[in-house]
Structures are given as C-alpha cells and as structure tokens.
C-alpha cells in the first residue's frame, strides 16, 4: 500500500534524522554526553536528531504542537494536533555501539493517537501504522504473533535502573514472567519492543515508568497489528501511569493476570514476613 501524505512527512523527517544518527553512531567515541540522572544520558546525537525532526515536521505541518523528550512540550496554534517524538530511543545502546535504537514519531489528533512511525536506521527497518490502515514493516503488512500459551511465548520488557522508581516491583514481576514464559528479552528500546511485538517477534511486552514519547508510536503500531495495549491495570491510562502491557488478546490478558499475581504475592504478609 502506498504511504499516505502524512506518513510520507513522518518518514521524510525520520530518514533525515536517521542519517544524522547513523553518522554519529559511526563516531560514537567522540560524542558529547551529559548525564540527566541515574543511567539517564543525553548525547549530541539525541539533540541533533531532535532538531532535524522538529524542523522537518514544523515545515510540513506548521502550527502543530510537540511533545519531545529533550525539548519537552511546545504548544502550537493548531490546538488539535500534537507530535510525540523520541529522537533516539535506546541512548544507552547507542553509546555502547549496540545497533538497537530507534526514532519514534507519533501524531495525536484531538488527544487520540492516529499515526506512528518507529525507524531503526542501522537495521534499515521502518515500522509504520495509521489508525484503521494496518501496520507495516518496510511496506510489508505485520501482525502480532498468534501464540496463546505463555509457556511458548517470548516476552519483551525494560528494566528500571536501581536508582529509578519501580526497580523492586520489576524484580518480582520478571521473576514470575521468567518462570512462566519461554523467555524474557530486554532490547533497551521500548519503541522497538513495541514495534517487535507488533511484528510478532515478541509475543508480548510490559514495562513500567515509561514516558509518552517511548510508547506513543508503538501503541498505534500494536493496535494496528491486531494487538491489545493497556496500562498495567487493563485500562487506557498508559500515559498517566507510565505502565504498559501489550500482546495479542490472549497473551495480553494472561500477562495482565500474571503481573497482578506477582504484585499481590510481593505485597502479601506471608512473603514479606
Ligand atoms: C529508554 C528506553 C528503554 C527504557 C527506558 C527509556 P531513552 O529511552 O526506551 O528501553 O527501558 O525506560 O528511558 O532514554 O533511551 O530514549
Ligand atoms: Ca533519554
Ligand atoms: Ca525513550
Ligand atoms: Ca530518547
């Protein structure tokens, strides 16, 4: 299916920023790095990519608002549209020359996510989705995996650094999911975790304490690939809570139940005592 005018704008911005990231990735040892918090880095590569995406999207759709990881919220005169952008998801991988990172761009219209793009320039993989139009990897239609048993499922997740909120909770959850599934994987890019779930590489994904820019494009992607995405209570408060659970209908439900059980047993007096 040919890409829409909107998706061509998103692809154009992502490819241009992707060329900048690829150049910086080749010279990563010379990059300027600042530390925002525990295991939380920002590099000149993040900032350069964000600048390009901001310029390209502003030129193509003047007046739209932005929510970007490094620049924060930028209101536009157009009150109905907002781009949600992570210019480099997987900065820690990037800094270690691990080629698993992505640009994530989503568009919100009247508060509803209507389009998402996740681009890994090193693997040359462009994941795109628009509401009602399906999800694609480099023009090929993708769907969530069909497996329904956790015992044969591979589940993606992200590990909050020990200095960040949610670390203890995660340890209980991952122990339970590891004991129940065929394996747990951590790529270091939540955007790619969701894109890979949409493409059926992962059967499911969960993580806590994420930001809207980590998840926005991936939410559209998983839904358009036929999957289910909610917060960790099975509700739609994903951005508010920062928690996300994704998969096909069955795996999504099983993961929700499993995480609930893990947290209940962690909180029970028997375990605590
Ligand atoms: C990070 C990645 C990672 C997730 C972290 C995020 P960044 O984003 O998505 O997978 O576990 O919580 O902060 O900082 O590399 O854009
Ligand atoms: Ca970051
Ligand atoms: Ca991110
Ligand atoms: Ca980032």
């Amino acid at each position: 299916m040919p890409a829409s005018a909107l998706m061509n704008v998103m692809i154009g911005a992502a490819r241009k920023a992707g060329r900048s990231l690829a150049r910086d990735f080749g010279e990563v040892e010379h990059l300027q790095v600042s530390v925002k918090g525990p295991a939380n880095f920002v590099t000149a590569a993040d900032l350069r990519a964000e600048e390009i995406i901001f310029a390209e999207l502003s030129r193509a759709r003047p007046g739209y608002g932005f929510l970007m990881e490094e620049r924060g919220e930028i209101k536009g005169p157009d009150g109905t549209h907002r781009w949600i952008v992570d210019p480099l998801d997987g900065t820690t991988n990037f800094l270690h020359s691990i080629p698993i990172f992505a640009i994530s761009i989503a568009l919100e219209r009247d508060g509803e996510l209507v389009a998402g793009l996740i681009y890994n320039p090193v693997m040359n993989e462009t994941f795109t989705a628009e509401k009602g139009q399906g999800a694609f990897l480099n023009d090929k239609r993708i769907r969530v995996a069909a497996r329904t048993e956790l015992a044969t499922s591979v589940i993606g997740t992200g590990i909050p650094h020990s200095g960040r909120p949610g670390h203890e909770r995660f340890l209980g959850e991952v122990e339970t999911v590891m004991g129940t599934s065929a394996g747990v994987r951590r790529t270091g890019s939540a955007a790619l975790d969701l894109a890979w779930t949409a493409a059926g590489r992962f059967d499911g994904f969960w993580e806590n304490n994420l930001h809207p820019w980590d998840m926005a494009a991936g939410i559209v992607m998983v839904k358009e690939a036929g999957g289910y995405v909610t917060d960790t209570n099975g509700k739609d408060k994903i951005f508010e809570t920062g928690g996300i659970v994704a998969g096909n209908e069955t795996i999504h439900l099983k993961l929700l139940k499993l995480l609930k059980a893990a947290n209940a047993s962690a909180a029970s007096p028997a375990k605590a005592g």
Side-chain angles (χ1 to χ4, degrees), residues 69 86-91 102 104 188-191 210-211 213-215:
E69 178 174 8
D86 192 335
L88 170 49
D89 188 55
T91 299
S104 175
S189 161
L210 288 174
H211 293 100
W213 47 81
D214 301 314
M215 306 181 279

Side-chain angles (χ1 to χ4, degrees), residues 121-132:
V122 181
M123 293 182 180
N124 193 23
E125 291 193 328
T126 309
F127 298 86
T128 56
E130 272 183 87
K131 190 168 181 272

Side-chain angles (χ1 to χ4, degrees), residues 120-196:
N120 178 334
V122 181
M123 293 182 180
N124 193 23
E125 291 193 328
T126 309
F127 298 86
T128 56
E130 272 183 87
K131 190 168 181 272
Q133 306 296 317
F136 297 84
L137 164 54
N138 295 347
D139 301 329
K140 206 171 148 226
R141 186 82 196 249
I142 51 173
R143 291 197 63 80
V144 289
R147 278 180 210 89
T148 53
E149 296 304 326
L150 279 171
T152 54
S153 291
V154 168
I155 308 296
T157 190
I159 309 168
H161 189 267
S162 58
R164 291 205 211 167
H167 182 73
E168 293 304 321
R169 168 181 171 162
F170 172 80
L171 294 179
E173 291 179 351
V174 77
E175 194 181 352
T176 305
V177 179
M178 281 180 81
T180 315
S181 65
V184 173
R185 299 284 182 273
R186 192 264 201 275
T187 68
S189 161
L192 284 177
D193 288 330
L194 285 162
W196 290 14

Side-chain angles (χ1 to χ4, degrees), residues 179-232:
T180 315
S181 65
V184 173
R185 299 284 182 273
R186 192 264 201 275
T187 68
S189 161
L192 284 177
D193 288 330
L194 285 162
W196 290 14
T197 302
R201 293 174 181 173
F202 288 162
D203 300 282
F205 168 69
W206 95 100
E207 188 163 349
N208 300 298
N209 302 100
L210 288 174
H211 293 100
W213 47 81
D214 301 314
M215 306 181 279
I219 292 170
V220 188
M221 207 73 62
V222 171
K223 286 186 179 165
E224 287 301 317
Y228 284 65
V229 196
T230 62
D231 64 25
T232 52

